[in-house]
């Protein structure tokens, strides 16, 4: 009897031996099979890398207008939302059906107007500056000749003989005119060709632009359908996680674009008034170009400033040096005060990571990499902070 009472107790403490159990488990077998198939596919893709890249390029080409349209819709939406808020406050009695068409039209016209204004401000200024430079060549040649004659006389006092150069101003004018205005390879021709190629690209993305307008006109409906599709196809936990990441990405990119636009306007205004105070020519055109290129983080304003310095150099070489010095001071103010306060806080990213993101993105993907590296890095940084917070609580 005692043995019978002790057996149940001992059975509770001892682990029962599996009877008829299978090992390995079916789930583990499925994972092994999937990993093996993925390994085979990956190895095949490496062996046939050219064919895979060609196929992916064709697929990407099919969806390029829609990807461009999505990017355009996102950019217009950054301007559309504040305009809609202002419209709702100012025109409360207006029919609700008018809000989206009126605000969408205003946002689109505003963005396109700014882009065309910058392009068509720079090209006439560049041509005018080139013509003025050609007309002033004899004056520049005479001044250089006087300066060199003074250097020769000064060196002669110390028994140093320097060669005397005679510059043919007519020949120099001919060469410079050919360099600037040549129909095949001149600077103005190349610049105009680049501008027309940009316009041809704009024509190519017309389909994407129409798609963007459709997305913005029905953005709430499209977002609701996409959310429902994700929740239907994916498991609930995975769907919620994907939607939260999408919301974080949207908010981060919106903050980044808003911050960059604000910074571009500030630096463009400061550049304009600084050039007016210094008496530097082409203040409007150069400031507008600097503001547009400032949309590219950290290095953008330097690119715009370099082109502006070249433009000023053709017209008044002496003023180009003052512009470069002013731009250096402006960049210090922008890098240490404006950018960290406006853009750094908007994306919540430390300055060191911003510099790393822009450098790595530019090296890997060029201008597009420099534009989008900061918000992408901000999203990854936010996900990292969220992961570390969860890990510390467990």
């Amino acid at each position: 009897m005692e043995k019978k009472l002790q057996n149940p107790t001992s059975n509770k403490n001892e682990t029962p031996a599996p009877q008829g159990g299978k090992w390995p488990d079916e789930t583990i077998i499925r994972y092994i099979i999937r990993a093996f198939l993925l390994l085979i596919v990956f190895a095949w893709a490496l062996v046939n890398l050219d064919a895979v890249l060609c196929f992916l390029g064709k697929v990407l080409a099919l969806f390029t207008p829609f990807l461009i349209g999505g990017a355009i819709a996102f950019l217009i939406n950054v301007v559309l939302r504040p305009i809609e808020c202002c419209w709702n406050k100012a025109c409360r009695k207006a029919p609700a059906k008018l809000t989206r068409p009126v605000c969408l039209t205003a946002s689109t016209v505003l963005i396109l107007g700014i882009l065309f204004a910058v392009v068509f401000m720079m090209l006439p200024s560049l041509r005018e500056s080139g013509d003025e430079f050609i007309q002033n060549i004899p004056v520049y040649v005479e001044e250089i000749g006087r300066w060199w004659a003074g250097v020769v006389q000064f060196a002669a006092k110390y028994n140093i003989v320097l060669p005397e150069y005679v510059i043919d101003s007519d020949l120099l004018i001919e060469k410079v005119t050919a360099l600037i205005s040549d129909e095949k390879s001149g600077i103005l021709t190349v610049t105009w060709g680049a501008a027309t190629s940009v316009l041809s690209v704009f024509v190519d993305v017309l389909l994407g632009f129409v798609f963007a307008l459709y997305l913005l006109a029905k953005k709430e409906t499209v977002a609701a359908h996409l959310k429902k599709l994700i929740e239907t196809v994916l498991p609930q936990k995975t769907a919620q996680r994907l939607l939260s990441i999408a919301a974080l990405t949207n908010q981060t990119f919106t903050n980044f674009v808003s911050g960059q636009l604000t910074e571009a306007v500030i630096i463009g205004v400061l550049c304009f008034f600084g050039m007016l105070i210094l008496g530097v020519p082409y203040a409007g055109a150069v400031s507008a170009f600097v503001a547009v290129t400032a949309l590219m983080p950290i290095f953008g304003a330097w690119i715009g400033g370099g082109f502006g310095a070249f433009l000023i150099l053709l017209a008044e070489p002496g003023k180009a040096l003052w512009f470069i010095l002013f731009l250096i001071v402006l960049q210090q103010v922008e890098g240490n005060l404006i950018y960290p306060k406006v853009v750094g806080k908007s994306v919540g990213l430390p300055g060191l990571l911003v510099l790393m993101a822009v450098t790595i993105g530019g090296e890997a993907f060029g201008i597009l990499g420099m534009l989008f590296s900061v918000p992408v890095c901000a999203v990854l940084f936010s996900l990292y902070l969220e992961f570390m917070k969860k890990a510390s609580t467990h």
Side-chain angles (χ1 to χ4, degrees):
M1 191 68 183
E2 292 179 357
K3 293 182 179 179
K4 291 182 179 180
L5 293 174
Q6 291 174 356
N7 286 337
T9 306
S10 61
N11 288 339
K12 289 180 182 179
N13 296 330
E14 295 177 2
T15 303
Q19 295 180 358
K22 296 180 180 180
W23 195 93
D25 191 271
E26 292 182 358
T27 305
I28 298 177
I29 294 176
R30 286 198 296 268
Y31 279 127
I32 293 175
I33 293 174
R34 290 175 184 174
F36 185 68
L37 291 176
L38 288 175
L39 184 61
I40 292 175
V41 172
F42 182 71
W44 178 86
L46 288 179
V47 174
N48 303 275
L49 186 60
D50 294 336
V52 172
L53 292 178
C54 181
F55 174 75
L56 292 177
K58 292 181 179 180
V59 173
L60 183 62
L62 292 175
F63 290 96
T64 294
F66 303 103
L67 295 175
I68 294 175
I72 294 174
F74 181 84
L75 293 175
I76 297 178
N77 190 50
V78 173
V79 181
L80 175 63
R81 289 195 296 182
I83 290 180
E84 283 186 343
C85 292
C86 295
W87 172 271
N88 292 329
K89 292 180 180 179
C91 306
R92 295 180 180 178
K93 296 182 180 180
K97 294 182 179 180
L98 291 177
T99 302
R100 183 57 53 82
V102 171
C103 296
L104 181 57
T105 302
S107 304
T108 306
V109 170
L110 178 63
I111 292 177
L112 293 180
I114 292 173
L115 291 177
F116 279 107
V118 171
V119 171
F120 290 105
M121 280 175 65
M122 288 302 298
L123 290 179
S125 298
L126 181 61
R127 182 172 291 277
E128 179 184 349
S129 178
D131 294 339
E132 187 175 350
F133 176 74
I134 293 173
Q135 293 176 1
N136 292 334
I137 283 180
V139 179
Y140 299 151
V141 170
E142 185 177 354
E143 290 181 357
I144 293 173
R146 291 175 181 174
W147 172 79
W148 183 253
V151 172
V152 171
Q153 292 177 0
F154 177 78
K157 295 179 180 178
Y158 299 94
N159 297 324
I160 300 175
V161 179
L162 295 177
E164 294 185 3
Y165 287 105
V166 178
I167 302 176
D168 188 348
S169 59
D170 295 332
L171 180 61
L172 183 60
I173 291 174
E174 182 181 350
K175 295 293 184 181
V176 173
T177 304
L179 176 64
I180 296 178
S181 305
D182 187 75
E183 295 182 357
K184 294 182 178 180
S185 59
I187 295 174
L188 296 180
T189 304
V190 173
T191 305
W192 179 255
T196 53
S197 66
V198 170
L199 293 178
S200 66
V201 171
F202 177 77
V203 174
D204 293 338
V205 301
L206 181 61
L207 179 60
F209 183 74
V210 174
F211 179 67
L213 294 180
Y214 172 79
L215 283 179
L216 292 172
K218 302 290 183 181
K219 63 179 182 178
E220 291 83 5
T221 305
V222 173
H225 282 296
L226 288 176
K227 182 179 179 180
K228 187 176 181 180
L229 176 64
I230 292 173
E231 293 176 344
T232 304
V233 174
L234 299 177
Q236 183 179 1
K237 187 176 180 180
T238 305
Q240 293 299 324
R241 180 60 177 166
L242 181 60
L243 290 174
S244 66
I245 294 176
L248 174 64
T249 303
N250 178 60
Q251 188 62 39
T252 303
F253 270 76
T254 301
N255 292 341
F256 171 75
V257 173
S258 302
Q260 283 294 135
L261 288 174
T262 305
E263 188 219 8
V265 172
I266 292 174
I267 197 171
V269 171
L270 291 177
C271 184
F272 176 74
F273 284 108
M275 292 178 69
L276 286 181
I277 294 172
L278 295 175
V280 179
Y282 308 115
V286 173
S287 299
F289 194 74
V290 169
V292 171
T293 54
L295 294 173
M296 187 185 305
I298 298 178
F299 303 111
W302 285 110
I303 297 174
F307 187 82
F310 172 74
L311 191 68
I312 298 166
L313 180 66
L314 294 179
E316 297 184 32
K319 294 293 181 66
L321 179 59
W322 285 108
F323 174 75
I324 293 173
L325 294 176
F326 166 70
L327 187 66
I328 293 174
V329 175
L330 183 62
Q331 283 297 304
Q332 294 299 317
V333 174
E334 186 264 347
N336 295 306
L337 295 177
I338 301 175
Y339 195 89
K341 298 292 183 182
V342 177
V343 182
K345 287 187 176 180
S346 66
V347 297
L349 199 62
L352 179 61
L353 291 182
V354 171
L355 180 60
M356 291 178 60
V358 172
T359 304
I360 296 174
E363 288 289 335
F365 304 103
I367 295 178
L368 289 178
M370 296 178 73
L371 285 173
F372 295 106
S373 59
V374 173
V376 170
C377 184
V379 172
L380 296 177
F381 185 67
S382 298
L383 293 175
Y384 165 76
L385 292 179
E386 182 182 348
F387 171 77
M388 294 300 294
K389 184 178 180 181
K390 289 182 178 179
S392 62
T393 56
H394 289 296

